[in-house]
Amino acid sequence: MSREPILSVEDLHVWFDLSGGSELHAVQGVSFDLRPGERMGLVGESGCGKTTTILAMMGLLPSSASVAGSVSLDGENIMARGEDTVSPHRWKDIAMVFQGAMNAFNPVKTIGSQIVEPMELHGTATGKAARGQTRELLELVGISGDRVNNYPHEFSGGMRQRAAIALALACEPRVLLADEPTTALDVMVQAQILELLVRLTRDLGLSMILVTHDLPVVAQVCDRAAVMYAGEIVEMGAMSTIYHDPRHPYTRMLFGATPDLLGDADVISIPGAPPRLDREIVGCPFAPRCDSAFAPCATVAPRRMETSPGHEAVCHLNDHVVAKEPA
Amino acid sequence: MSTTAEPGPLLEVDDLVTRYPVSRGVVGTLRRRPRLQVHAVEGVSFSVGPGEMVALVGESGCGKTSTAQTVIRMVDNQGGSIRFDGRDITGMSAGGMRPLRREIQMIYQDPYESLDPRFRVRDTIEEPLLVHKLGGSSKQREQKVLEALKRAGLTPPDLFIDRFPHELSGGQRQRVAIAASLVLDPKLLVADEPVSMLDVSVRAGILSLLDGLRREGMGILMITHDLSTAAHFADRIAVMYLGRIVEEGPAQEVVRNPQHPYTRALISVVPKRDPNEQTVPQILTGETPNPVHVPSGCRFHPRCPVAEQACRTIDPSLQRPNGANVPEHRAACIVTAPGPSADEVGPDGRSAGQLAAAALRPAALALSGWWRRVWALVIDAAVVLAGGVALGGILALVPGSLGSSLRVGIGVVLFSALYFTIAHGSTGQTLGKRALGIAVRDVHGSGPIGYPRSFLRWLAFAVFTLLVVVLIIDLLFPLWDDRHQALHDKVASSSVFQV
């Protein structure tokens, strides 16, 4: 963990223009580091900004979005001059498995030709070499290289998801962003895909950000997790610390709302709904749903506090703890 | 846990079979391709009592939704019986079903699609009352709507009654869908993946709502792919694989003490919340096979980590496993739950061909690739020779001028021609292919292998003809030899005499 981060996101903000002149503040100051070979989970409910965050890092947001902040790859801010600085790195250094990618293949082109495409586009390989690499890639993700000329409909759902991962790996990236890669899959296929992702990060030294709403999946796959709520990372730290010693009530309540196969504890849903992001939020965004909210939560926005090395949370409960600690 | 009253179960399903025909298309029909079927549900039995929640768990394509749809008579079954509240509803007409429909209600997976976007909450919930001509005056109906909203946890109801679906969150929409079924006061609720489209934070609320209804005495059949949810909320779990229930029992028993290898694998791959408690997942290769071509014997055997030879031929029935802690725990596996198996492959209406194919299958499994095709050829050759010689023998009894060996040869040719033409025309399968097809259709998920339709078929035919010729030569040689010898003797003796 002492190594320099490969990717560093600092104070990332995304606003979407809404019809009627208002703005939706989808991502509100997200910062995190990703180290080489690390697997990080980005967890949260739908609409919390997790997908927007990684799309912003890829420079793939629509023109209705305004982005601020920096995304540094090896210390170089790739957001500095927008598309000009992002595009040389897209797919070559940072690649992505999109949500629903398995259903986004062009049905009238072979899987192989669709994997060759980014290689030729980015100039990493062409012609015969590219086709050879495609076979290797398919083998790498567990598909027989002989199926390179198959069409998407000839693949099962799990195989198409593997092919989507192969597509992301086409230009040998160092960072893989996977957006809900197992959401539409059966548990057994999900297990196969998760095993594949872990194997790829281990064998190829890839760093990965896994975006999902499924905490147990993150618990199984990731070293570190960042929990997002209302466009903010409200808690971030090593996975086991987050589970055993959550410092934000949202994290604790999210775990409490997730049934565990062999757990005995009651499963309790979180009341209410996330706040609207097209209005300014006063105080802590989670306060109306929080079971431990107290006086300052409604009026004062909590600060980000490091509760232990490498573990941070944004909650007034920690003001107390941290304020006490130095004394 | 169970508040089951003394009267019998609400829903009793016995040996249910549901199949869907696969369209062959015009070309397929003209080319007499075999009529295929999706074997969605194959002999499923279970019951749901009042105040009981039963979860049907399985991967997509295992037949759990088909079972639910058959139970509520949206889909016709091909076999078995469905009894609701003591009445057999299996063959009941649509008119006869109508009064029962208010007692069996269904909740669908996607509350974003199951609600009419132009209907206010009030209209959505009131509609079932209008359809069933219930509820009296509009005032009384409104009262019922408000009560249903309250029961579904949408309080205060006045706040929701005039909203449109787009003004509601996902969880609230699902509550509206539940309210619309509660307004009829059903006895049985069939919930098809009621929370899989909802956010994690609200899932528990919907499930607790269903749990509350169960406590009030409603029977609930829940269809889900999520074992954790089933373990937490259901009284009993039935795990389905390829149209069959492979294991069933009390929820905690099934989850903590799984006996069927499929259940064990399924449970091992469910991610746990605690990162330090992750077990080593036992990942099965491949995906659930196509229910059009169901493997022989135990349908799980091609992916099973503990399959034995016998699993390829024996279709196990649900038995009490050795390791069970409670008597209601049953699993269909001859390895972990051995017992007197009624479904063993035997003279239970199977044709001699199927039996022969089943017997030949183990040998086929030991081979791979092209050798399997060769093996198929060998089997077919053996069949053709045996049948042909028999036919030739019959031909030989007919008096005539042709030699008897020639007749046997003709018999073989005739028989092989018949065998292949009939096999291809009707089922498209010869015995050899049948022996193989099912065995080979394993993790690759491909269909049964066979000779490719045109070229190899003729090649195979040529090989058989060659075999027949060899046979004929083999049979004729001694005779030729005899005749030749006789002729030679004759010539020799005569020449001796002449010279």
Side-chain angles (χ1 to χ4, degrees):
Chain A
M1 283 291 163
S2 58
R3 280 179 292 175
E4 281 297 298
I6 182 170
L7 189 80
S8 178
V9 175
E10 244 168 274
D11 203 24
L12 187 73
H13 287 262
V14 177
W15 294 267
F16 285 105
D17 294 336
L18 298 178
S19 56
S22 57
E23 277 181 333
L24 190 145
H25 198 173
V27 177
Q28 312 192 352
V30 162
S31 307
F32 61 85
D33 288 341
L34 186 70
R35 289 176 181 77
E38 188 179 38
R39 294 185 293 269
M40 189 175 109
L42 205 53
V43 205
E45 288 173 82
S46 39
C48 73
K50 44 194 200 303
T51 299
T52 310
T53 302
I54 59 168
L55 284 177
M57 290 160 62
M58 294 282 289
L60 289 175
L61 287 171
S63 56
S64 63
S66 341
V67 183
S70 76
V71 175
S72 311
L73 185 76
D74 294 330
E76 179 207 346
N77 181 9
I78 60 171
M79 307 276 282
R81 280 182 293 113
E83 181 65 15
D84 288 350
T85 41
V86 179
S87 76
H89 299 288
R90 191 186 293 138
W91 230 259
K92 273 173 127 174
D93 290 310
I94 310 176
M96 184 164 170
V97 179
F98 294 96
Q99 186 166 10
M102 54 187 270
N103 299 320
F105 280 105
N106 185 340
V108 296
K109 292 174 80 180
T110 62
I111 292 281
S113 69
Q114 295 184 59
I115 296 177
V116 164
E117 208 169 306
M119 294 182 191
E120 297 196 326
L121 197 69
H122 292 277
T124 54
T126 48
K128 224 179 175 156
R131 282 196 298 277
Q133 275 186 29
T134 303
R135 288 178 76 96
E136 284 171 25
L137 273 173
L138 286 180
E139 303 268 359
L140 183 70
V141 298
I143 300 173
S144 161
D146 297 336
R147 304 199 60 168
V148 65
N149 290 325
N150 279 179
Y151 288 90
H153 76 267
E154 295 173 276
F155 278 19
S156 68
M159 287 170 76
R160 265 179 288 158
Q161 188 62 3
R162 285 169 192 270
I165 293 170
L167 178 65
L169 299 178
C171 299
E172 297 174 24
R174 290 177 292 158
V175 179
L176 182 67
L177 312 178
D179 191 3
E180 303 271 11
T182 61
T183 297
L185 301 172
D186 276 320
V187 263
M188 193 56 71
V189 184
Q190 164 173 297
Q192 293 168 1
I193 298 293
L194 293 179
E195 189 209 24
L196 171 68
L197 289 173
V198 170
R199 183 165 58 79
L200 289 174
T201 52
R202 221 180 29 223
D203 296 355
L204 308 177
L206 271 175
S207 310
M208 179 171 78
I209 296 178
L210 181 71
V211 173
T212 178
H213 65 276
D214 198 345
L215 266 173
V217 164
V218 176
Q220 191 187 349
V221 169
C222 298
D223 320 310
R224 216 149 62 88
V227 181
M228 281 189 81
Y229 186 77
E232 252 187 292
I233 292 180
V234 294
E235 179 160 9
M236 178 161 64
M239 195 55 226
S240 58
T241 325
I242 285 203
Y243 175 74
H244 290 289
D245 185 22
R247 289 311 184 95
H248 196 289
Y250 179 63
T251 313
R252 176 169 48 75
M253 292 171 81
L254 205 55
F255 272 116
T258 313
D260 194 36
L261 186 65
L262 301 177
D264 292 319
D266 275 350
V267 181
I268 299 155
S269 64
I270 306 177
R276 294 178 60 162
L277 298 177
D278 55 349
R279 298 175 186 165
E280 202 182 331
I281 296 166
V282 181
C284 170
F286 188 60
R289 304 174 76 188
C290 184
D291 60 1
S292 337
F294 58 114
C297 300
T299 48
V300 185
R303 285 179 304 151
R304 186 170 303 276
M305 290 288 189
E306 192 164 48
T307 56
S308 61
H311 186 178
E312 56 183 58
V314 187
C315 177
H316 281 303
L317 291 172
N318 300 318
D319 297 348
H320 205 60
V321 176
V322 174
K324 254 189 185 171
E325 257 172 22
Chain B
M1 196 157 80
S2 178
T3 52
T4 314
E6 282 316 307
L10 265 180
L11 177 74
E12 261 183 296
V13 176
D14 188 41
D15 204 20
L16 194 70
V17 175
T18 305
R19 299 188 183 122
Y20 305 108
V22 177
S23 166
R24 289 188 290 180
V26 177
V27 177
T29 312
L30 288 177
R31 295 190 61 181
R32 303 185 63 193
R33 289 209 181 115
R35 224 181 267 277
L36 295 174
Q37 285 183 314
V38 177
H39 300 258
V41 183
E42 285 287 314
V44 162
S45 308
F46 62 92
S47 67
V48 183
E52 188 179 40
M53 189 191 283
V54 175
L56 285 181
V57 184
E59 294 176 88
S60 45
C62 75
K64 51 191 196 300
T65 297
S66 285
T67 305
Q69 289 182 333
T70 315
V71 163
I72 63 167
R73 297 286 323 282
M74 273 168 67
V75 170
D76 281 331
N77 55 323
Q78 271 70 48
S81 69
I82 309 157
R83 293 178 73 80
F84 176 71
D85 220 3
R87 275 168 293 183
D88 191 340
I89 60 167
T90 318
M92 207 174 256
S93 66
M97 272 304 288
R98 187 164 252 242
L100 288 178
R101 292 223 178 266
R102 50 178 286 218
E103 306 197 337
I104 311 173
Q105 284 291 309
M106 181 128 183
I107 300 165
Y108 294 92
Q109 178 174 358
D110 190 350
Y112 294 84
E113 299 210 347
S114 65
L115 299 182
D116 190 323
R118 296 164 308 163
F119 272 28
R120 290 179 193 275
V121 167
R122 169 201 302 277
D123 305 322
T124 300
I125 302 178
E126 194 179 28
E127 203 186 20
L129 292 173
L130 297 172
V131 167
H132 287 276
K133 301 192 176 64
L134 293 167
S137 70
S138 68
K139 260 259 156 17
Q140 285 169 309
R141 282 203 303 273
E142 179 164 337
Q143 202 51 44
K144 281 193 183 253
V145 170
L146 289 170
E147 269 169 37
L149 278 172
K150 238 186 268 174
R151 252 182 114 186
L154 290 171
T155 46
D158 309 326
L159 201 67
F160 295 97
I161 193 162
D162 282 319
R163 292 204 190 170
F164 283 104
H166 72 261
E167 296 172 296
L168 301 171
S169 71
Q172 289 169 342
R173 283 178 210 219
Q174 195 62 303
R175 285 176 191 269
V176 169
I178 293 173
S181 51
L182 291 184
V183 75
L184 292 172
D185 225 352
K187 291 181 178 166
L188 178 73
L189 209 54
V190 179
D192 188 0
E193 303 270 13
V195 296
S196 61
M197 295 297 284
L198 304 178
D199 249 317
V200 187
S201 63
V202 298
R203 282 181 187 179
I206 299 292
L207 292 165
S208 306
L209 168 63
L210 294 178
D211 195 48
L213 295 172
R214 177 190 68 75
R215 281 172 209 277
E216 289 170 22
M218 198 178 288
I220 299 177
L221 176 64
M222 182 164 72
I223 313 297
T224 179
H225 67 279
D226 185 354
L227 263 168
S228 307
T229 300
H232 263 270
F233 291 94
D235 296 309
R236 283 192 291 132
I237 290 180
V239 180
M240 286 189 73
Y241 184 78
L242 261 188
R244 281 273 171 85
I245 291 177
V246 294
E247 180 159 7
E248 65 173 3
Q252 288 302 316
E253 165 77 2
V254 169
V255 169
R256 286 170 197 270
N257 183 25
Q259 293 296 316
H260 195 282
Y262 177 64
T263 319
R264 285 183 185 164
L266 213 52
I267 283 172
S268 80
V269 299
V270 174
K272 318 289 182 295
R273 283 189 314 198
D274 186 343
N276 302 335
E277 237 178 52
Q278 304 296 341
T279 47
V280 179
Q282 186 189 4
I283 296 175
L284 301 172
T285 50
E287 289 169 38
T288 314
N290 184 344
V292 174
H293 306 287
V294 176
S296 68
C298 171
R299 43 199 66 205
F300 183 56
H301 87 257
R303 300 174 74 196
C304 182
V306 298
E308 295 172 354
Q309 278 294 326
C311 298
R312 290 166 183 159
T313 48
I314 297 174
D315 191 357
S317 59
L318 283 167
Q319 299 289 338
R320 187 176 167 193
N322 291 337
N325 293 332
V326 291
E328 309 90 78
H329 191 176
R330 295 189 304 156
C333 176
I334 57 165
V335 179
T336 61
S341 182
D343 293 2
E344 203 165 313
V345 170
D348 53 348
R350 280 167 187 256
S351 68
Q354 279 172 315
L355 283 174
L360 291 165
R361 208 167 288 131
L365 272 169
L367 306 165
S368 65
W370 273 99
W371 286 108
R372 296 193 187 211
R373 290 168 198 255
V374 173
W375 174 240
L377 280 174
V378 170
I379 293 174
D380 285 336
V383 170
V384 165
L385 278 179
V389 169
L391 186 64
I394 296 167
L395 283 176
L397 294 176
V398 185
S401 57
L402 283 171
S404 56
S405 358
L406 194 56
R407 291 173 191 224
V408 173
I410 292 169
V412 172
V413 173
L414 271 177
F415 187 84
S416 55
L418 271 174
Y419 177 67
F420 278 91
T421 324
I422 291 172
H424 269 282
S426 61
T427 63
Q429 286 197 324
T430 62
L431 263 186
K433 282 203 296 177
R434 223 188 260 169
L436 277 180
I438 308 167
V440 175
R441 191 194 323 112
D442 49 13
V443 287
H444 308 300
S446 55
I449 65 147
Y451 320 116
R453 286 201 92 75
S454 49
F455 172 69
L456 256 187
R457 179 174 157 191
W458 289 112
L459 189 72
F461 206 91
V463 170
F464 281 114
T465 319
L466 200 74
L467 269 174
V468 169
V469 171
V470 168
L471 181 84
I472 293 170
I473 291 172
D474 190 43
L475 281 168
L476 292 186
F477 241 117
L479 295 173
W480 262 1
D481 235 28
D482 287 351
R483 279 190 195 172
H484 196 235
Q485 196 58 49
L487 197 69
H488 189 266
D489 288 352
K490 219 180 194 174
V491 171
S493 57
S494 61
S495 58
V496 166
F497 281 115
Q498 275 179 7
V499 171

